[in-house]
């Protein structure tokens, strides 16, 4: 009787919401959406399932909050600025992407690239959300490269680089090391230098009277 009374008086277990989202982000980043169960989440956060649902509504809503938190991390695209040429800008982008993907403080790879590639109908909305986030990454990169290139070339280069970055995420998960990835990036940058820097230089030339 006394034990039951004390349990009722103790009330629901409280938790730090920001810390809970950060913990969920780590789990989803490491294992993907479908690789993380409600039990995994509640155990890691330290709350019961009813508390998780009361705070976040569903696993899907918690995942979206975790994605938003991931987007706040200092990733490569968040610090992308135009340098002297398209190839120099691409080199900086790829280097930052590789450093981020192989950072021992992280979970390896990219949460947005690896979170969900294939899924069942029940998760189609989440898959579309991830696809939209990846498209936004392309648009952000294209905007930077539009400093030198026309719209079609800017988008093509941005798409090319984001495809490479998704490959970097997968290679990192497969155990490929930073130095090997950087050597691969050098090859990519050489290709970009040949294909885009000359065109960028022509666009930058002032018109003659």
């Amino acid at each position: 009787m006394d034990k039951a009374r004390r349990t009722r008086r103790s009330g629901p277990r409280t938790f730090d919401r920001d810390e809970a989202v950060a913990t969920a982000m780590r789990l989803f980043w490491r294992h993907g959406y479908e690789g993380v169960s409600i039990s995994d989440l509640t155990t890691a956060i330290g709350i019961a399932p009813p508390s998780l649902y009361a705070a976040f509504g569903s696993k899907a809503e918690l995942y979206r909050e975790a994605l938003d938190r991931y987007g706040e991390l200092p990733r490569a695209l968040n610090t992308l600025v135009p340098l002297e040429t398209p190839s120099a800008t691409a080199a900086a982008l790829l280097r930052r992407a590789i450093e981020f993907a192989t950072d021992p403080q992280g979970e390896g790879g990219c949460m947005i690239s690896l979170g969900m590639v294939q899924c069942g109908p029940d998760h189609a909305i989440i898959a579309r959300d991830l696809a939209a986030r990846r498209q936004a990454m392309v648009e952000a990169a294209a905007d930077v490269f539009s400093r030198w290139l026309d719209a079609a070339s800017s988008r093509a280069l941005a798409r090319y680089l984001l495809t490479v970055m998704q490959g970097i995420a997968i290679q990192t998960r497969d155990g490929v090391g930073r130095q090997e990835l950087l050597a691969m990036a050098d090859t990519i940058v050489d290709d970009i230098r040949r294909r885009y820097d000359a065109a960028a230089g022509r666009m930058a030339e002032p018109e003659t009277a």
Side-chain angles (χ1 to χ4, degrees), residues 50-181:
S51 297
L52 186 144
Y53 287 116
F56 301 104
S58 66
K59 174 184 167 183
E61 288 302 319
L62 176 53
Y63 184 61
R64 291 190 181 93
E65 287 199 36
L67 283 171
D68 291 340
R69 177 66 58 85
Y70 179 80
E72 296 170 0
L73 297 178
R75 297 176 298 123
L77 277 170
N78 294 354
T79 56
L80 178 60
V81 294
L83 299 179
E84 298 82 9
T85 61
S87 64
T89 304
L93 174 64
L94 293 178
R95 175 171 286 276
R96 291 191 192 104
I98 291 167
E99 290 173 350
F100 181 80
T102 58
D103 184 352
Q105 299 302 314
E107 299 297 336
C110 171
M111 183 177 173
I112 296 174
S113 295
L114 302 176
M116 182 182 292
V117 179
Q118 293 181 325
C119 68
D122 291 346
H123 299 149
I125 293 176
I126 297 171
R128 287 196 296 270
D129 184 357
L130 283 167
R133 291 172 189 262
R134 289 190 287 267
Q135 181 59 32
M137 293 163 67
V138 173
E139 298 296 338
D143 184 62
V144 171
F145 289 112
S146 67
R147 175 187 180 97
W148 303 282
L149 306 171
D150 60 44
S153 296
S154 297
R155 185 179 294 273
L157 178 53
R159 182 78 66 189
Y160 179 29
L161 286 169
L162 266 295
T163 301
V164 171
M165 289 168 66
Q166 289 170 356
I168 288 170
I170 295 171
Q171 290 292 298
T172 301
R173 287 288 176 88
D174 287 346
V176 178
R178 179 176 293 188
Q179 292 307 312
E180 189 171 352
L181 291 171

